[in-house]
Amino acid sequence: MRLLLIEDDDRLAGPITEGLARYGFTVDRARTGAAGLAGAADQPDLVLLDLGLPDMDGLDVCRRLRARSAIPIIMITARGEEADRIVGLELGADDYVAKPFGVRELVARIRAVTRRTAGHLALADAPAPAGTSGAGPQRLGSLEIDRRTREVRLDRGEVALSPREFDLLAHLAQDPGAVHSRQQIMDTVWDPHFFGPTKTLDAHVAALRRKLGDPAWITTARGVGFRLTVPAGQPDDTPEAAR
């Protein structure tokens, strides 16, 4: 497995590279955000991204990477505040590791993200939601979800989603209008043994709402979970509306 480490601090990059090599990982290193963006064009399997880079903020690097690729991203940073973690996740990071951390923890997180990324393909091959033919994209109002190509369009324009954001949207869209419990979503879109910030789901829901341009697409059932609905004023193509 080939990783891209975007980290300017030699004191941290050296031990990470050596430690990961002992676990069988090949690590390419970039010292700046610009070099990291260029290196990501070679399609590594996963990116380890420091936020404190000399030429640009790592959050900007994450945003640019996610705009053009679904490559898994793990942020590694000294910024341990919950607000920083949520911003990173909203921008499309798949996990967030606060310094200091051990190589064994980092390896465990890499493997967990890799398992979840592989699970994305299984979700794409899941049975088509009720009311769709299974031969093409699912349409809900002006929203179009294509599980085969993992593409989302809104008002005919493409919406750039991270792998986790796509899986969350596709999961909610399997039964639009129904309330999906928080635990059910975490077990399906993440996995039953997921560990990470407790507000991970909320961060991804917030990111989806922002990218869909209208928070009414995903409504909250207080104390239970979330549902996908077609905002008022749009044609509703859900099976419930057709009855």
Side-chain angles (χ1 to χ4, degrees), residues 52-72:
L53 298 171
D55 58 336
M56 66 178 71
D57 194 297
L59 293 174
D60 291 329
V61 177
C62 180
R63 184 185 296 108
R64 295 187 191 184
L65 283 175
R66 187 54 70 227
R68 71 189 196 194
S69 171
I71 185 173

Side-chain angles (χ1 to χ4, degrees), residues 130-210:
T132 66
S133 65
Q138 178 184 9
R139 293 178 176 83
L140 300 167
S142 59
L143 181 66
E144 182 179 290
I145 304 170
D146 192 329
R147 289 169 174 79
R148 185 179 62 83
T149 62
R150 296 182 64 81
E151 293 178 335
V152 173
R153 294 184 177 278
L154 184 64
D155 294 322
R156 299 182 182 274
E158 186 172 354
V159 181
L161 301 182
S162 72
R164 189 76 65 244
E165 290 164 357
F166 179 89
D167 288 340
L168 174 57
L169 179 63
H171 176 73
L172 295 175
Q174 289 211 10
D175 192 1
V179 175
H180 301 255
S181 73
R182 297 177 67 91
Q183 189 61 54
Q184 179 193 44
I185 295 171
M186 293 300 296
D187 287 351
T188 303
V189 179
W190 278 261
D191 67 57
H193 306 293
F194 171 78
F195 63 94
T198 58
K199 292 189 177 180
T200 292
L201 174 56
D202 302 87
H204 282 77
V205 168
L208 264 182
R209 285 170 170 162
R210 174 172 52 81

